[in-house]
Amino acid sequence: MSTRKRTGGDVRDSSITLEDSHRTGTPRVEEISDMKGDEWNIAILFFLYVLQGIPLGLSSAIPMYLQNRGVSYRQQAQFSFVHWPFSVKLLWAPVVDSLFSARFGRRKSWLIPAQYLIGFFMIFLSGKVEDWLGIDHSITHTPNIAILTFCFFCLNFLAATQDIAVDGWALTMLQRRNVGHASTCNSVGQTAGYFLGYVIFVGLESAEFCNAYLRKDPLPHGIVTLPGFLYFWGIVFLLSTTLIAVFKKEYSSTERLIEAEPYLGVAQTYRLLWNITRLPSIRTTAIILLTSKVGFSACDAVTSLKMIDAGFPKEKLALMAVPLVPLQIILPLAISKYTVGPRPMNIYISAFPYRLLFSIVAAGLVWITPFVIQNGNIPIYYYVALILIYSLHQVTLYSMFVAVMAFFARISDPAVGGTYMTLLNTLSNLGGNWPGTLALWMVDSLTFKQCSAPSIQNNTCITTQETEACLKAGGSCTTFVDGYFVETTLCTVIGWLWFQWGRRKINELQVKDHREWQVVQRREDEKLWHITIL
């Protein structure tokens, strides 16, 4: 099933991070956290991360609309590129970190324009999105996938740029002893924003959900609309950005700016990244991260859309996330106890075959759903079974996620901790994005349909236009081979073969000497850094 990927900032698990230690050039010192004096700063950070999650949630809600509009899976694959900016933000993060107006503020130089653009962009989208989705009160037409993809890609690009600025600002906005709270603001805030933009929006937009749970008298529409939701959050972005620009100072003194964030040029930052990628251990790790999720790609990218095709209402599918929220909070804490020590990836290896097995279980759920759900009515036993199975899937997913994050923390060179971790997170996110996009793209190619109307020849019902032509001719589209089931089988086989190779390589990486992961950074003068590979 489709699951949200963590796309936020770096992992920070102490009051002074590796990145902070590197930037200040001082030893890492543990201090007791005391939020006194930082209450407003923590609230501001939390709110900024909530804003960041809104575009992410909306980008996950749009495919539900598209699926109900009968778009092809190839078109869904095209739209899936909107999720890529958060996974490749490393490409322009050095520019955001290095080019700024010292007078206005290093982080505000990017944060304020990015959030203003998001606000204006949302207001602009609110007047156009229904037409582009193919929803017109008088005329029905097909969705404009190209322009939808472009617009939401730009929206997420701006949100990713805001994320880079906020992640950097968190290190100086908070007092040193409270920097560890930045990661909490990130994870909780972004999750809350995603929840508002996806789960809450889909529920309140659904007439069925609102009539069943929120109204006495039924109405043909939900409480909110997509244009109204976009317009509201566009205004929120504009107002909140203005308040931050006017009233929130970035630094209390120039000395703090110099001490906390010494300047590292764009070219030097890219050179640092290049030298990290030249390490043989990192190259092997990159191959593993970029290929490990191929086996789960059909399950993660296609299953939720197939469930909608099978008759599962989109609003109820989105609301399945609600009972899983406590589980998603508890799981990382519980699993982290087993990922300490020199071999954290043992948990990753143990969870891998069970996650592969879930792909087969998910395909079974898709197959059985049309026989169980009638007219959108879901039997309680089926809903409970679905939540139970999905909960087990979350255990395998978080086991792998927590294990790989612990592995990153163990191998990252403390001298360049922030950059090192960001590179590894980028590789991990890309390893989930490209197989998911490819899986969506290939479903139609592996599906074989035929129109039953005798007056139409060679109509395969793959595109929306062909399906409409078949229906107009009085025929119906008959599926002989469903590409989803073919793809699930292929991915499971590929995943099992990868597992036989991958677990051996992972074990080899876990026993490597720490020197094989290190990049030494020597300072020759106060302005230039030269990188040397050990």
Side-chain angles (χ1 to χ4, degrees):
M1 285 184 182
S2 177
T3 56
R4 187 174 73 91
K5 301 175 180 64
R6 182 177 292 261
T7 53
D10 302 332
V11 175
R12 303 179 178 97
D13 53 8
S14 62
S15 58
I16 296 182
T17 64
L18 293 174
E19 184 176 2
D20 191 40
S21 175
H22 165 55
R23 286 177 173 176
T24 59
T26 58
R28 179 170 173 169
V29 180
E30 299 295 340
E31 298 181 29
I32 298 174
S33 174
D34 179 6
M35 289 190 292
K36 186 176 180 180
D38 264 341
E39 296 90 347
W40 275 109
N41 290 331
I42 289 174
I44 289 171
L45 278 179
F46 175 77
F47 181 70
L48 289 174
Y49 282 120
V50 170
L51 291 181
Q52 186 185 117
I54 299 296
L56 290 171
L58 284 170
S59 297
S60 295
I62 295 300
M64 304 292 186
Y65 277 92
L66 296 178
Q67 201 66 13
N68 284 338
R69 298 291 298 154
V71 303
S72 68
Y73 284 94
R74 187 159 292 179
Q75 291 173 306
Q76 290 280 15
Q78 182 180 343
F79 185 80
S80 72
F81 280 103
V82 305
H83 300 291
W84 282 56
F86 271 85
S87 295
V88 296
K89 63 182 181 180
L90 182 65
L91 295 177
W92 69 93
V95 177
V96 176
D97 279 334
S98 302
L99 302 180
F100 57 91
S101 167
R103 186 180 210 178
F104 190 57
R106 180 171 185 171
R107 304 306 175 184
K108 288 174 67 176
S109 295
W110 290 91
L111 175 72
I112 301 305
Q115 290 200 168
Y116 270 133
L117 287 173
I118 291 173
F120 286 122
F121 209 66
M122 282 186 160
I123 293 173
F124 169 74
L125 279 174
S126 69
K128 300 289 185 179
V129 69
E130 284 195 333
D131 289 338
W132 293 337
L133 281 169
I135 304 171
D136 192 305
H137 297 297
S138 59
I139 303 172
T140 300
H141 53 276
T142 58
N144 190 329
I145 301 298
I147 196 166
L148 284 170
T149 302
F150 174 78
C151 288
F152 279 90
F153 182 92
C154 292
L155 193 64
N156 279 345
F157 174 83
L158 292 170
T161 303
Q162 187 255 28
D163 178 48
I164 297 167
V166 175
D167 283 348
W169 197 3
L171 296 175
T172 54
M173 184 186 294
L174 302 179
Q175 299 177 63
R176 184 166 299 183
R177 65 177 180 272
N178 293 323
V179 169
H181 292 295
S183 61
T184 304
C185 293
N186 184 324
S187 58
V188 178
Q190 193 183 93
T191 300
Y194 180 89
F195 193 82
L196 286 169
Y198 176 48
V199 178
I200 299 300
F201 165 68
V202 171
L204 295 181
E205 188 273 340
S206 168
E208 292 80 4
F209 177 82
C210 293
N211 291 337
Y213 301 105
L214 302 177
R215 289 179 177 142
K216 291 182 179 180
D217 300 320
L219 293 173
H221 52 77
I223 293 176
V224 302
T225 63
L226 180 55
F229 193 82
L230 283 165
Y231 188 85
F232 170 79
W233 283 107
I235 296 297
V236 171
F237 266 93
L238 295 181
L239 292 177
S240 60
T241 303
T242 301
L243 292 174
I244 291 171
V246 174
F247 295 108
K248 179 60 181 173
K249 292 183 178 180
E250 186 162 339
Y251 297 102
S252 57
S253 68
T254 305
E255 292 180 358
R256 189 177 180 193
L257 166 61
I258 296 172
E259 177 188 355
E261 297 188 271
Y263 178 75
L264 189 64
V266 176
Q268 291 148 340
T269 305
Y270 282 118
R271 191 181 303 121
L272 169 60
L273 291 169
W274 170 248
N275 279 277
I276 294 174
T277 60
R278 289 174 59 191
L279 292 168
S281 298
I282 288 296
R283 290 180 178 179
T284 303
T285 302
I287 293 172
I288 289 172
L289 294 175
L290 291 172
T291 58
S292 61
K293 297 175 185 175
V294 173
F296 323 125
S297 57
C299 174
D300 291 349
V302 187
T303 298
S304 59
L305 300 178
K306 275 293 180 182
M307 292 288 285
I308 294 173
D309 279 347
F312 204 106
K314 72 177 190 302
E315 63 276 4
K316 293 183 179 179
L317 189 63
L319 290 170
M320 276 186 59
V322 176
L324 295 176
V325 169
L327 182 67
Q328 292 170 344
I329 295 173
I330 295 171
L331 275 176
L333 300 175
I335 296 167
S336 62
K337 297 178 181 179
Y338 302 97
T339 57
V340 296
R343 300 176 68 89
M345 291 292 279
N346 285 352
I347 295 295
Y348 186 98
I349 295 171
S350 299
F352 194 98
Y354 291 101
R355 191 170 171 188
L356 274 181
L357 177 63
F358 181 82
S359 298
I360 300 174
V361 174
L365 286 172
V366 170
W367 180 80
I368 200 174
T369 295
F371 303 102
V372 176
I373 298 179
Q374 301 295 329
N375 299 321
N377 297 318
I378 305 174
I380 187 64
Y381 70 86
Y382 179 78
Y383 203 76
V384 171
L386 198 61
I387 292 176
L388 178 61
I389 292 171
Y390 192 47
S391 298
L392 294 175
H393 172 256
Q394 293 291 289
V395 173
T396 64
L397 187 149
Y398 274 91
S399 294
M400 295 178 66
F401 174 77
V402 173
V404 81
M405 289 298 108
F407 181 65
F408 290 171
R410 190 179 77 83
I411 66 175
S412 293
D413 185 350
V416 288
T419 303
Y420 212 116
M421 286 287 288
T422 303
L423 173 63
L424 292 172
N425 281 322
T426 297
L427 292 171
S428 180
N429 288 332
L430 278 176
N433 274 342
W434 79 261
T437 298
L438 182 62
L440 286 166
W441 186 271
M442 291 301 297
V443 169
D444 288 334
S445 298
L446 297 173
T447 298
F448 295 93
K449 297 180 180 180
Q450 189 64 45
C451 178
S452 62
S455 59
I456 299 180
Q457 300 294 325
N458 300 320
N459 187 324
T460 58
C461 295
I462 294 298
T463 66
T464 304
Q465 292 79 6
E466 286 184 330
T467 301
E468 291 177 352
C470 179
L471 296 176
K472 287 180 180 179
S476 61
C477 294
T478 303
T479 301
F480 297 101
V481 178
D482 192 323
Y484 167 70
F485 297 110
V486 176
E487 199 170 75
T488 298
T489 303
L490 290 174
C491 286
T492 303
V493 171
I494 292 171
W496 182 254
L497 294 174
W498 185 97
F499 179 62
Q500 306 308 310
W501 168 83
R503 63 180 173 181
R504 185 178 70 255
K505 289 296 181 181
I506 289 172
N507 284 327
E508 291 175 1
L509 290 174
Q510 290 193 106
V511 298
K512 282 184 177 292
D513 189 273
H514 71 281
R515 288 174 296 182
E516 298 190 48
W517 303 97
Q518 288 183 341
V519 178
V520 174
Q521 193 162 339
R522 295 190 177 95
R523 188 173 184 176
E524 295 189 353
D525 55 58
E526 292 187 0
K527 293 184 178 179
L528 184 61
W529 296 71
H530 290 286
I531 309 303
T532 304
I533 300 297
L534 278 178

PDB file of all heavy atoms in Angstrom, residues 282-306:
ATOM      1  N   ILE A 282      30.783   3.964   0.093  1.00  0.00           N
ATOM      2  CA  ILE A 282      29.582   4.737  -0.220  1.00  0.00           C
ATOM      3  C   ILE A 282      29.002   4.301  -1.563  1.00  0.00           C
ATOM      4  O   ILE A 282      27.778   4.255  -1.746  1.00  0.00           O
ATOM      5  CB  ILE A 282      29.901   6.241  -0.224  1.00  0.00           C
ATOM      6  CG1 ILE A 282      30.129   6.725   1.206  1.00  0.00           C
ATOM      7  CG2 ILE A 282      28.784   7.045  -0.870  1.00  0.00           C
ATOM      8  CD1 ILE A 282      28.907   6.623   2.093  1.00  0.00           C
ATOM      9  N   ARG A 283      29.852   3.967  -2.507  1.00  0.00           N
ATOM     10  CA  ARG A 283      29.343   3.513  -3.813  1.00  0.00           C
ATOM     11  C   ARG A 283      28.546   2.227  -3.669  1.00  0.00           C
ATOM     12  O   ARG A 283      27.482   2.072  -4.283  1.00  0.00           O
ATOM     13  CB  ARG A 283      30.521   3.329  -4.777  1.00  0.00           C
ATOM     14  CG  ARG A 283      31.163   4.640  -5.203  1.00  0.00           C
ATOM     15  CD  ARG A 283      32.313   4.419  -6.162  1.00  0.00           C
ATOM     16  NE  ARG A 283      32.890   5.687  -6.598  1.00  0.00           N
ATOM     17  CZ  ARG A 283      33.923   5.800  -7.411  1.00  0.00           C
ATOM     18  NH1 ARG A 283      34.513   4.701  -7.889  1.00  0.00           N
ATOM     19  NH2 ARG A 283      34.379   6.993  -7.758  1.00  0.00           N
ATOM     20  N   THR A 284      29.052   1.291  -2.877  1.00  0.00           N
ATOM     21  CA  THR A 284      28.301   0.054  -2.635  1.00  0.00           C
ATOM     22  C   THR A 284      26.999   0.353  -1.913  1.00  0.00           C
ATOM     23  O   THR A 284      25.939  -0.195  -2.247  1.00  0.00           O
ATOM     24  CB  THR A 284      29.146  -0.933  -1.813  1.00  0.00           C
ATOM     25  OG1 THR A 284      30.369  -1.198  -2.490  1.00  0.00           O
ATOM     26  CG2 THR A 284      28.390  -2.233  -1.589  1.00  0.00           C
ATOM     27  N   THR A 285      27.068   1.225  -0.915  1.00  0.00           N
ATOM     28  CA  THR A 285      25.866   1.609  -0.177  1.00  0.00           C
ATOM     29  C   THR A 285      24.847   2.263  -1.098  1.00  0.00           C
ATOM     30  O   THR A 285      23.640   2.008  -0.992  1.00  0.00           O
ATOM     31  CB  THR A 285      26.233   2.578   0.965  1.00  0.00           C
ATOM     32  OG1 THR A 285      27.194   1.957   1.827  1.00  0.00           O
ATOM     33  CG2 THR A 285      25.010   2.968   1.771  1.00  0.00           C
ATOM     34  N   ALA A 286      25.310   3.104  -2.016  1.00  0.00           N
ATOM     35  CA  ALA A 286      24.406   3.773  -2.954  1.00  0.00           C
ATOM     36  C   ALA A 286      23.673   2.761  -3.826  1.00  0.00           C
ATOM     37  O   ALA A 286      22.465   2.887  -4.068  1.00  0.00           O
ATOM     38  CB  ALA A 286      25.187   4.760  -3.822  1.00  0.00           C
ATOM     39  N   ILE A 287      24.382   1.754  -4.309  1.00  0.00           N
ATOM     40  CA  ILE A 287      23.751   0.721  -5.138  1.00  0.00           C
ATOM     41  C   ILE A 287      22.664   0.006  -4.348  1.00  0.00           C
ATOM     42  O   ILE A 287      21.562  -0.256  -4.852  1.00  0.00           O
ATOM     43  CB  ILE A 287      24.801  -0.282  -5.647  1.00  0.00           C
ATOM     44  CG1 ILE A 287      25.764   0.420  -6.625  1.00  0.00           C
ATOM     45  CG2 ILE A 287      24.133  -1.464  -6.332  1.00  0.00           C
ATOM     46  CD1 ILE A 287      26.944  -0.436  -7.039  1.00  0.00           C
ATOM     47  N   ILE A 288      22.959  -0.303  -3.086  1.00  0.00           N
ATOM     48  CA  ILE A 288      21.978  -0.977  -2.232  1.00  0.00           C
ATOM     49  C   ILE A 288      20.755  -0.099  -2.011  1.00  0.00           C
ATOM     50  O   ILE A 288      19.604  -0.543  -2.171  1.00  0.00           O
ATOM     51  CB  ILE A 288      22.625  -1.359  -0.880  1.00  0.00           C
ATOM     52  CG1 ILE A 288      23.631  -2.495  -1.081  1.00  0.00           C
ATOM     53  CG2 ILE A 288      21.557  -1.772   0.137  1.00  0.00           C
ATOM     54  CD1 ILE A 288      24.452  -2.824   0.146  1.00  0.00           C
ATOM     55  N   LEU A 289      20.980   1.174  -1.681  1.00  0.00           N
ATOM     56  CA  LEU A 289      19.864   2.077  -1.389  1.00  0.00           C
ATOM     57  C   LEU A 289      19.005   2.350  -2.620  1.00  0.00           C
ATOM     58  O   LEU A 289      17.784   2.505  -2.509  1.00  0.00           O
ATOM     59  CB  LEU A 289      20.406   3.397  -0.835  1.00  0.00           C
ATOM     60  CG  LEU A 289      21.096   3.336   0.530  1.00  0.00           C
ATOM     61  CD1 LEU A 289      21.687   4.704   0.885  1.00  0.00           C
ATOM     62  CD2 LEU A 289      20.132   2.882   1.615  1.00  0.00           C
ATOM     63  N   LEU A 290      19.624   2.403  -3.792  1.00  0.00           N
ATOM     64  CA  LEU A 290      18.882   2.722  -5.014  1.00  0.00           C
ATOM     65  C   LEU A 290      18.130   1.536  -5.599  1.00  0.00           C
ATOM     66  O   LEU A 290      17.291   1.719  -6.480  1.00  0.00           O
ATOM     67  CB  LEU A 290      19.840   3.291  -6.064  1.00  0.00           C
ATOM     68  CG  LEU A 290      20.426   4.677  -5.766  1.00  0.00           C
ATOM     69  CD1 LEU A 290      21.499   5.046  -6.787  1.00  0.00           C
ATOM     70  CD2 LEU A 290      19.320   5.737  -5.749  1.00  0.00           C
ATOM     71  N   THR A 291      18.426   0.330  -5.122  1.00  0.00           N
ATOM     72  CA  THR A 291      17.790  -0.866  -5.701  1.00  0.00           C
ATOM     73  C   THR A 291      16.995  -1.696  -4.699  1.00  0.00           C
ATOM     74  O   THR A 291      16.215  -2.558  -5.107  1.00  0.00           O
ATOM     75  CB  THR A 291      18.849  -1.782  -6.332  1.00  0.00           C
ATOM     76  OG1 THR A 291      19.822  -2.164  -5.335  1.00  0.00           O
ATOM     77  CG2 THR A 291      19.571  -1.081  -7.479  1.00  0.00           C
ATOM     78  N   SER A 292      17.129  -1.435  -3.417  1.00  0.00           N
ATOM     79  CA  SER A 292      16.542  -2.327  -2.411  1.00  0.00           C
ATOM     80  C   SER A 292      15.018  -2.322  -2.410  1.00  0.00           C
ATOM     81  O   SER A 292      14.390  -3.293  -1.978  1.00  0.00           O
ATOM     82  CB  SER A 292      17.053  -1.949  -1.015  1.00  0.00           C
ATOM     83  OG  SER A 292      16.692  -0.615  -0.686  1.00  0.00           O
ATOM     84  N   LYS A 293      14.382  -1.232  -2.882  1.00  0.00           N
ATOM     85  CA  LYS A 293      12.924  -1.130  -2.797  1.00  0.00           C
ATOM     86  C   LYS A 293      12.206  -1.515  -4.090  1.00  0.00           C
ATOM     87  O   LYS A 293      10.988  -1.371  -4.177  1.00  0.00           O
ATOM     88  CB  LYS A 293      12.544   0.300  -2.393  1.00  0.00           C
ATOM     89  CG  LYS A 293      13.052   0.675  -1.010  1.00  0.00           C
ATOM     90  CD  LYS A 293      12.783   2.123  -0.683  1.00  0.00           C
ATOM     91  CE  LYS A 293      13.404   2.517   0.654  1.00  0.00           C
ATOM     92  NZ  LYS A 293      13.266   3.957   0.950  1.00  0.00           N
ATOM     93  N   VAL A 294      12.955  -2.034  -5.063  1.00  0.00           N
ATOM     94  CA  VAL A 294      12.316  -2.472  -6.307  1.00  0.00           C
ATOM     95  C   VAL A 294      11.294  -3.569  -6.022  1.00  0.00           C
ATOM     96  O   VAL A 294      10.199  -3.591  -6.600  1.00  0.00           O
ATOM     97  CB  VAL A 294      13.376  -2.971  -7.311  1.00  0.00           C
ATOM     98  CG1 VAL A 294      12.704  -3.593  -8.529  1.00  0.00           C
ATOM     99  CG2 VAL A 294      14.285  -1.824  -7.735  1.00  0.00           C
ATOM    100  N   GLY A 295      11.608  -4.461  -5.114  1.00  0.00           N
ATOM    101  CA  GLY A 295      10.708  -5.572  -4.803  1.00  0.00           C
ATOM    102  C   GLY A 295       9.388  -5.141  -4.213  1.00  0.00           C
ATOM    103  O   GLY A 295       8.394  -5.878  -4.287  1.00  0.00           O
ATOM    104  N   PHE A 296       9.338  -3.953  -3.588  1.00  0.00           N
ATOM    105  CA  PHE A 296       8.104  -3.477  -2.962  1.00  0.00           C
ATOM    106  C   PHE A 296       7.383  -2.426  -3.806  1.00  0.00           C
ATOM    107  O   PHE A 296       6.336  -1.929  -3.402  1.00  0.00           O
ATOM    108  CB  PHE A 296       8.408  -2.832  -1.595  1.00  0.00           C
ATOM    109  CG  PHE A 296       9.482  -3.509  -0.815  1.00  0.00           C
ATOM    110  CD1 PHE A 296      10.576  -2.816  -0.357  1.00  0.00           C
ATOM    111  CD2 PHE A 296       9.402  -4.865  -0.526  1.00  0.00           C
ATOM    112  CE1 PHE A 296      11.579  -3.423   0.378  1.00  0.00           C
ATOM    113  CE2 PHE A 296      10.397  -5.497   0.200  1.00  0.00           C
ATOM    114  CZ  PHE A 296      11.489  -4.778   0.653  1.00  0.00           C
ATOM    115  N   SER A 297       7.929  -2.075  -4.957  1.00  0.00           N
ATOM    116  CA  SER A 297       7.446  -0.908  -5.691  1.00  0.00           C
ATOM    117  C   SER A 297       5.998  -1.054  -6.165  1.00  0.00           C
ATOM    118  O   SER A 297       5.218  -0.107  -6.076  1.00  0.00           O
ATOM    119  CB  SER A 297       8.365  -0.612  -6.878  1.00  0.00           C
ATOM    120  OG  SER A 297       8.468  -1.728  -7.746  1.00  0.00           O
ATOM    121  N   ALA A 298       5.629  -2.214  -6.667  1.00  0.00           N
ATOM    122  CA  ALA A 298       4.248  -2.402  -7.126  1.00  0.00           C
ATOM    123  C   ALA A 298       3.274  -2.287  -5.960  1.00  0.00           C
ATOM    124  O   ALA A 298       2.205  -1.671  -6.078  1.00  0.00           O
ATOM    125  CB  ALA A 298       4.102  -3.762  -7.806  1.00  0.00           C
ATOM    126  N   CYS A 299       3.639  -2.852  -4.835  1.00  0.00           N
ATOM    127  CA  CYS A 299       2.785  -2.801  -3.647  1.00  0.00           C
ATOM    128  C   CYS A 299       2.650  -1.367  -3.149  1.00  0.00           C
ATOM    129  O   CYS A 299       1.540  -0.866  -2.948  1.00  0.00           O
ATOM    130  CB  CYS A 299       3.362  -3.698  -2.552  1.00  0.00           C
ATOM    131  SG  CYS A 299       2.488  -3.595  -0.976  1.00  0.00           S
ATOM    132  N   ASP A 300       3.772  -0.672  -2.975  1.00  0.00           N
ATOM    133  CA  ASP A 300       3.751   0.654  -2.374  1.00  0.00           C
ATOM    134  C   ASP A 300       3.112   1.706  -3.283  1.00  0.00           C
ATOM    135  O   ASP A 300       2.427   2.608  -2.804  1.00  0.00           O
ATOM    136  CB  ASP A 300       5.172   1.097  -2.022  1.00  0.00           C
ATOM    137  CG  ASP A 300       5.772   0.300  -0.876  1.00  0.00           C
ATOM    138  OD1 ASP A 300       5.021  -0.440  -0.218  1.00  0.00           O
ATOM    139  OD2 ASP A 300       6.989   0.404  -0.651  1.00  0.00           O
ATOM    140  N   ALA A 301       3.328   1.607  -4.586  1.00  0.00           N
ATOM    141  CA  ALA A 301       2.889   2.662  -5.497  1.00  0.00           C
ATOM    142  C   ALA A 301       1.505   2.433  -6.094  1.00  0.00           C
ATOM    143  O   ALA A 301       0.805   3.395  -6.411  1.00  0.00           O
ATOM    144  CB  ALA A 301       3.906   2.820  -6.635  1.00  0.00           C
ATOM    145  N   VAL A 302       1.104   1.177  -6.244  1.00  0.00           N
ATOM    146  CA  VAL A 302      -0.093   0.886  -7.048  1.00  0.00           C
ATOM    147  C   VAL A 302      -1.262   0.368  -6.219  1.00  0.00           C
ATOM    148  O   VAL A 302      -2.416   0.574  -6.577  1.00  0.00           O
ATOM    149  CB  VAL A 302       0.249  -0.141  -8.158  1.00  0.00           C
ATOM    150  CG1 VAL A 302      -0.928  -0.317  -9.106  1.00  0.00           C
ATOM    151  CG2 VAL A 302       1.487   0.282  -8.933  1.00  0.00           C
ATOM    152  N   THR A 303      -0.988  -0.285  -5.092  1.00  0.00           N
ATOM    153  CA  THR A 303      -2.047  -0.989  -4.365  1.00  0.00           C
ATOM    154  C   THR A 303      -3.203  -0.085  -3.962  1.00  0.00           C
ATOM    155  O   THR A 303      -4.375  -0.437  -4.143  1.00  0.00           O
ATOM    156  CB  THR A 303      -1.476  -1.689  -3.126  1.00  0.00           C
ATOM    157  OG1 THR A 303      -0.513  -2.664  -3.524  1.00  0.00           O
ATOM    158  CG2 THR A 303      -2.577  -2.388  -2.338  1.00  0.00           C
ATOM    159  N   SER A 304      -2.903   1.098  -3.398  1.00  0.00           N
ATOM    160  CA  SER A 304      -3.996   1.971  -2.940  1.00  0.00           C
ATOM    161  C   SER A 304      -4.882   2.417  -4.104  1.00  0.00           C
ATOM    162  O   SER A 304      -6.113   2.504  -3.958  1.00  0.00           O
ATOM    163  CB  SER A 304      -3.417   3.195  -2.220  1.00  0.00           C
ATOM    164  OG  SER A 304      -2.569   3.929  -3.082  1.00  0.00           O
ATOM    165  N   LEU A 305      -4.288   2.674  -5.266  1.00  0.00           N
ATOM    166  CA  LEU A 305      -5.084   3.053  -6.437  1.00  0.00           C
ATOM    167  C   LEU A 305      -5.927   1.884  -6.935  1.00  0.00           C
ATOM    168  O   LEU A 305      -7.068   2.066  -7.378  1.00  0.00           O
ATOM    169  CB  LEU A 305      -4.161   3.562  -7.544  1.00  0.00           C
ATOM    170  CG  LEU A 305      -3.302   4.790  -7.191  1.00  0.00           C
ATOM    171  CD1 LEU A 305      -2.400   5.158  -8.360  1.00  0.00           C
ATOM    172  CD2 LEU A 305      -4.192   5.973  -6.814  1.00  0.00           C
ATOM    173  N   LYS A 306      -5.376   0.689  -6.864  1.00  0.00           N
ATOM    174  CA  LYS A 306      -6.129  -0.502  -7.252  1.00  0.00           C
ATOM    175  C   LYS A 306      -7.290  -0.767  -6.295  1.00  0.00           C
ATOM    176  O   LYS A 306      -8.347  -1.264  -6.706  1.00  0.00           O
ATOM    177  CB  LYS A 306      -5.196  -1.719  -7.293  1.00  0.00           C
ATOM    178  CG  LYS A 306      -4.440  -1.879  -8.600  1.00  0.00           C
ATOM    179  CD  LYS A 306      -5.405  -2.202  -9.740  1.00  0.00           C
ATOM    180  CE  LYS A 306      -4.708  -2.365 -11.060  1.00  0.00           C
ATOM    181  NZ  LYS A 306      -5.672  -2.631 -12.162  1.00  0.00           N
TER     182      LYS A 306
END
